[in-house]
Amino acid sequence: MVTKVLTGNYAVAEAVRLSNVDLITAYPITPQTTIVERLSEFVDMKLIKARLMRVESEFAALAAAYGAALCGARAFTATSSHGLLFAHEMLWWVAGSRVPMVLAVVTRTVGPPWNIWSEHTDFMGQRDCGWLMALAENNQEILDTTIQLYRITEDEEVYLPGMLGFDGFLLSHTSEPVDIPDEDVIKSFLKPRSQPYNMCSDNILTMGNLSNAEDVATMRYDIHKSMENAKEVIKEVDREYEKLTGRSYGGLTECYRCDDSKYLIVAMGGWVGTMKDVCDELRSNGYDVGVLKVRFFRPFPEEDLTKAMSSVKGVLVFDKSVSLGSLGHIHSEVLARTYGLSNKVVVRGVIAGLAGVDVNPNDIRGIILKFIGDVEEGGYIGNTSEWFLGR
Amino acid sequence: MSIKIQGLSRDNYVLPGHTACPGCPETLGLRYVGMALGKDSIIVVPAGCSTIIQGTLPKSSIAMRVINVPFASSASVASGIANVKEILKIGGIPVVWAGDGATADIGFASLSGSAERNDDLIYICVDNEAYMNTGIQRSSLTPYGAWTSTTVTGKREDRKEVPLIMLLHKIPYTATASIAFPLDFISKLRKAATIRGFKYIHLHAPCPTGWRFDPSKTVEVAKLAVEVGAWILFEAEQHKLRLTPPSNIYLDKHKRKHIKDYISVQGRFKDLSEDDLRRFEDFINNTWELLLKFT
């Protein structure tokens, strides 16, 4: 093992180098670009065996990776924002075909107007496509989760593609020390490529021709069941990875000082690190606050969340994305799981950090203290939603 | 490359029970692909008539490997396969089988991108000159004057010359073909299979449903298109164009049949005026002139 100071983008590239990938398809978009630049260096310097296709669009990038994956290749591509939206149709096709592959999404605002800073709407907008979806908190987790996703997506209980999101610039262009596992460690962790069928084998197969309604509905249900199966696989993979590297992320969620908390903060992505710091500070001032980091958004960690909410007074959800006309994406998922809890829980959703609006520890502390104050004063005040548009 | 009918495979690549319209040119074309390449082909099919022709899951009427893909993605999916062929030791040839809409309109960027990268695959555009599968809407390859359900008084624009556009990508092999000349199509496919890089074959496929002619006359209409000079058979290796029989005869205008022989059998042209007809003829003559510049 070596430790290197790496940006989030270079951490992904290192993970791809270690994962014995056969095909990388590349198309540039800020802030994703340095991933494919670094991978292009690896390929040209023959540090990896993968072929690199420099294609003409993100749609083509995903389509070409899909073609290769159908024929047995371990494939990788990466994109952001408008690129991800342009590839949206292919996302459905890859998942519906049950083809494992991994996609890195460097999260970025969707225009107009043009804005390259991080928010999560591009990523969260893909939540219905049938992909496993993880969002990383830091550069170490970016490297580790990319590798883990190859193992998870190629598990026969899962056989679905997976995307790893992380915040543009905040992680993609920020350097942190990252432990890079040895090649032979990852080689033993990742088994040879496995997939449900191979379109380039000698068998005469047809993929995706017309189907009747019941068959399509059943296939959709199968994807849902595999999502449910993935929960256990994700936890097992996390445990096994911990044995090899000493690092665990708790599986689907990470419970940070939330076991005995009265107030639970729920969020995803890079700013969870800041929330943990604020949590420590509030704890030392006598507030019973804990943080539940949602690591995987699909499958959604319903059981972890329900357990964490079962003994709290209030849940404060931070969303860096919103379904316009409704609520923040995590907020609505959390609300759906409050029904049936034996305790009455106040839930507040805060939509913040959109378009890269800076949210610093003071802002987070202020929002948390106001929430605690409102609940302590007003008792059960139900569900509320707020927008933080900057100072 | 001379090919004799007796020497061709008797295997069925398009099975009885397919769900094509009567007189469908695409089933003919797919049969020829099977006869030319056998089970080597890994066929990538975007949304179009050939999606329907396969019939419903869990069965298929096509006895070759078939990957159905989104409308705009076929060249990209095939290029992904082409790029891992060696590393994964895949036996077989990625073959795109795409309609004129998937080729010239929605999938044009994918096609152009793959050609520019010179990916090792065969791309066949099976051109029935409109979006037939969805009910006969115009495409950029619908000819001037033709009725479609989105050009009810006749299309006002000329078709674009996709084979020439592909030739100018400087790919190693570009050809046109017609379902009326199967041996020519098969020999071009076989030649394409021996060439490394991007191969483009544009197959003319008259559609009785969309063109409004009797389903028994598909081959006849396809033949007329060549005989009046409206469809020109050629091949180009290393971007040097050569007319292939029988189109080389029709280099001499006087040997061509009259344009009316082709137009009058198609209901889609029934409202064509004399002016329109002259314009149609001019278009054909101009296309010949343009094409010959590349010989």
Side-chain angles (χ1 to χ4, degrees):
Chain A
M1 187 198 76
V2 290
T3 303
K4 282 189 183 172
V5 176
L6 295 177
T7 63
N9 281 355
Y10 284 1
V12 173
E14 284 295 331
V16 172
R17 181 180 66 77
L18 290 168
S19 298
N20 197 27
V21 166
D22 299 301
L23 184 75
I24 298 157
T25 57
Y27 189 78
I29 181 171
T30 302
Q32 163 265 174
T33 314
T34 55
I35 298 176
V36 294
E37 285 175 358
R38 176 48 67 98
L39 286 170
S40 157
E41 283 170 32
F42 286 168
V43 171
D44 286 349
M45 289 157 65
K46 301 197 184 336
L47 294 176
I48 47 177
K49 65 154 198 199
R51 296 249 329 187
L52 176 73
M53 287 178 67
R54 298 157 181 97
V55 293
E56 77 285 356
S57 75
E58 294 89 349
F59 179 79
L62 200 56
Y66 166 74
L70 274 179
C71 290
R74 192 170 277 166
F76 174 83
T77 189
T79 189
S80 296
S81 184
H82 288 261
L84 182 63
L85 270 53
F86 193 43
H88 178 77
E89 186 190 11
M90 276 314 302
L91 289 177
W92 281 86
W93 207 266
V94 176
S97 304
R98 309 301 304 258
V99 176
M101 63 168 283
V102 175
L103 164 71
V105 177
V106 187
T107 64
R108 168 186 146 178
T109 309
V110 176
W114 288 117
N115 174 318
I116 54 170
W117 309 121
S118 180
E119 63 168 50
H120 297 160
T121 306
D122 55 349
F123 183 77
M124 298 298 250
Q126 315 309 320
R127 69 197 177 283
D128 303 327
C129 299
W131 283 60
L132 304 177
M133 296 172 70
L135 205 70
E137 180 191 335
N138 54 49
N139 294 355
Q140 183 69 60
E141 190 177 357
I142 291 171
L143 180 136
D144 293 335
T145 309
T146 305
I147 294 167
Q148 288 178 9
L149 271 177
Y150 278 108
R151 173 73 184 271
I152 297 162
T153 56
E154 292 176 12
D155 190 295
E156 63 176 3
E157 292 292 315
V158 181
Y159 281 154
L160 285 170
M163 63 175 86
L164 168 74
F166 56 94
D167 289 87
F169 298 107
L170 300 175
L171 295 179
S172 71
H173 287 63
T174 303
S175 297
E176 293 183 325
V178 175
D179 288 345
I180 303 172
D182 291 337
E183 276 178 43
D184 48 346
V185 169
I186 298 307
K187 211 173 174 184
S188 70
F189 172 74
L190 289 179
K191 296 163 184 169
R193 165 80 178 176
S194 168
Q195 61 191 88
Y197 60 96
N198 185 325
M199 285 307 298
C200 293
S201 72
D202 292 338
N203 295 331
I204 302 298
L205 297 175
T206 291
M207 205 316 286
N209 57 329
L210 281 178
S211 314
N212 68 36
E214 287 78 6
D215 284 341
V216 181
T218 305
M219 286 184 227
R220 241 10 111 63
Y221 180 60
D222 281 342
I223 292 178
H224 180 71
K225 277 198 297 188
S226 297
M227 279 276 180
E228 289 295 317
N229 297 343
K231 290 178 180 175
E232 208 40 58
V233 175
I234 289 165
K235 288 180 203 166
E236 272 169 33
V237 165
D238 186 68
R239 283 192 289 268
E240 195 179 320
Y241 196 81
E242 185 184 15
K243 276 184 211 149
L244 296 172
T245 64
R247 289 186 296 276
S248 162
Y249 297 95
L252 296 151
T253 60
E254 181 194 344
C255 172
Y256 184 81
R257 304 187 77 167
C258 71
D259 282 339
D260 59 343
S261 62
K262 289 280 163 282
Y263 290 94
L264 187 68
I265 314 302
V266 180
M268 290 175 73
W271 60 357
V272 172
T274 314
M275 289 167 194
K276 287 174 177 172
D277 288 346
V278 173
C279 172
D280 288 343
E281 184 203 313
L282 289 173
R283 279 269 177 179
S284 63
N285 291 330
Y287 293 96
D288 295 330
V289 178
V291 177
L292 185 79
K293 177 173 99 178
V294 177
R295 186 169 170 243
F296 274 82
F297 190 68
R298 288 290 179 270
F300 190 77
E302 183 169 72
E303 296 79 7
D304 291 10
L305 183 75
T306 310
K307 184 166 166 275
M309 291 197 296
S310 64
S311 56
V312 298
K313 277 166 91 170
V315 178
L316 183 62
V317 185
F318 282 90
D319 270 296
K320 230 179 209 188
S321 67
V322 58
S323 177
L324 296 169
S326 183
L327 300 166
H329 291 112
I330 314 172
H331 183 196
S332 49
E333 297 277 353
V334 168
L335 278 176
R337 275 76 186 186
T338 55
Y339 184 82
L341 288 176
S342 53
N343 52 324
K344 271 193 170 176
V345 180
V346 177
V347 180
R348 174 171 295 170
V350 180
I351 294 151
L354 291 187
V357 164
D358 186 40
V359 186
N360 68 22
N362 288 334
D363 302 321
I364 291 170
R365 188 194 309 106
I367 291 167
I368 296 173
L369 288 176
K370 181 168 181 296
F371 177 59
I372 294 174
D374 287 351
V375 178
E376 294 296 329
E377 231 172 77
Y380 180 72
I381 53 171
N383 171 47
T384 53
S385 186
E386 289 178 3
W387 288 62
F388 177 84
L389 300 174
R391 290 179 292 277
Chain B
M1 205 185 300
S2 108
I3 286 171
K4 292 199 169 66
I5 286 182
Q6 293 90 329
L8 292 170
S9 163
R10 302 241 159 194
D11 291 344
N12 281 330
Y13 294 99
V14 179
L15 306 173
H18 66 71
T19 44
C21 303
C24 177
E26 298 207 8
T27 47
L28 294 175
L30 277 168
R31 262 170 64 193
Y32 305 148
V33 172
M35 288 162 114
L37 307 175
K39 293 197 178 347
D40 279 350
S41 46
I42 302 161
I43 302 186
V44 179
V45 179
C49 289
S50 286
T51 318
I52 311 299
I53 292 168
Q54 295 164 47
T56 49
L57 179 151
K59 301 200 171 160
S60 168
S61 65
I62 310 297
M64 294 178 273
R65 290 170 282 189
V66 176
I67 304 172
N68 289 283
V69 298
F71 214 169
S73 72
S74 47
S76 307
V77 173
S79 73
I81 298 171
N83 273 270
V84 293
K85 256 176 70 174
E86 272 172 29
I87 208 169
L88 300 178
K89 299 180 178 63
I90 293 167
I93 307 163
V95 178
V96 175
W97 177 260
D100 45 302
T103 301
D105 297 340
I106 193 169
F108 195 62
S110 304
L111 168 62
S112 178
S114 184
E116 183 266 338
R117 293 189 300 272
N118 199 24
D119 293 318
D120 189 20
L121 60 94
I122 300 175
Y123 190 108
I124 303 166
C125 170
V126 51
D127 180 7
N128 54 23
E129 301 187 347
Y131 291 82
M132 298 310 182
N133 176 41
T134 43
I136 322 164
Q137 296 81 23
R138 66 85 91 178
S139 79
S140 62
L141 298 192
T142 303
Y144 176 86
W147 166 91
T148 69
S149 59
T150 52
T151 54
V152 289
T153 58
K155 195 191 172 200
R156 291 292 146 223
E157 303 83 22
D158 288 318
R159 69 155 200 253
K160 57 184 177 189
E161 292 303 323
V162 179
L164 286 183
I165 297 170
M166 296 320 294
L167 182 92
L168 288 172
H169 281 67
K170 299 185 178 169
I171 52 177
Y173 189 74
T174 310
T176 56
S178 161
I179 54 102
F181 299 94
L183 294 185
D184 175 65
F185 178 42
I186 289 169
S187 69
K188 284 170 176 170
L189 274 170
R190 290 215 172 145
K191 183 183 275 188
T194 65
I195 297 169
R196 208 182 152 82
F198 195 94
K199 287 82 62 176
Y200 180 82
I201 301 179
H202 198 114
L203 178 68
H204 197 231
C207 164
T209 309
W211 295 17
R212 301 302 199 228
F213 62 80
D214 189 275
S216 67
K217 301 215 179 301
T218 304
V219 173
E220 216 171 286
V221 174
K223 217 170 155 192
L224 277 168
V226 174
E227 289 167 346
V228 303
W231 188 249
I232 308 166
L233 298 175
F234 70 82
E235 68 179 358
E237 282 174 87
Q238 300 307 332
H239 32 100
K240 196 79 189 151
L241 194 148
R242 182 177 75 83
L243 294 174
T244 52
S247 284
N248 48 349
I249 304 166
Y250 304 118
L251 185 59
D252 179 356
K253 252 188 236 182
H254 306 291
K255 296 206 168 138
R256 293 178 206 161
K257 286 193 176 169
H258 196 277
I259 184 71
K260 274 190 177 165
D261 294 351
Y262 177 56
I263 297 293
S264 62
V265 294
Q266 302 175 48
R268 64 174 174 162
F269 290 124
K270 74 174 167 27
D271 294 331
L272 222 59
S273 66
E274 284 301 315
D275 274 356
D276 286 337
L277 201 65
R278 265 192 298 279
R279 198 181 184 285
F280 203 102
E281 258 181 310
D282 286 347
F283 177 80
I284 291 174
N285 291 332
N286 291 341
T287 306
W288 275 89
E289 266 178 43
L290 181 64
L291 210 75
L292 292 172
K293 288 183 181 157
F294 294 93
T295 51

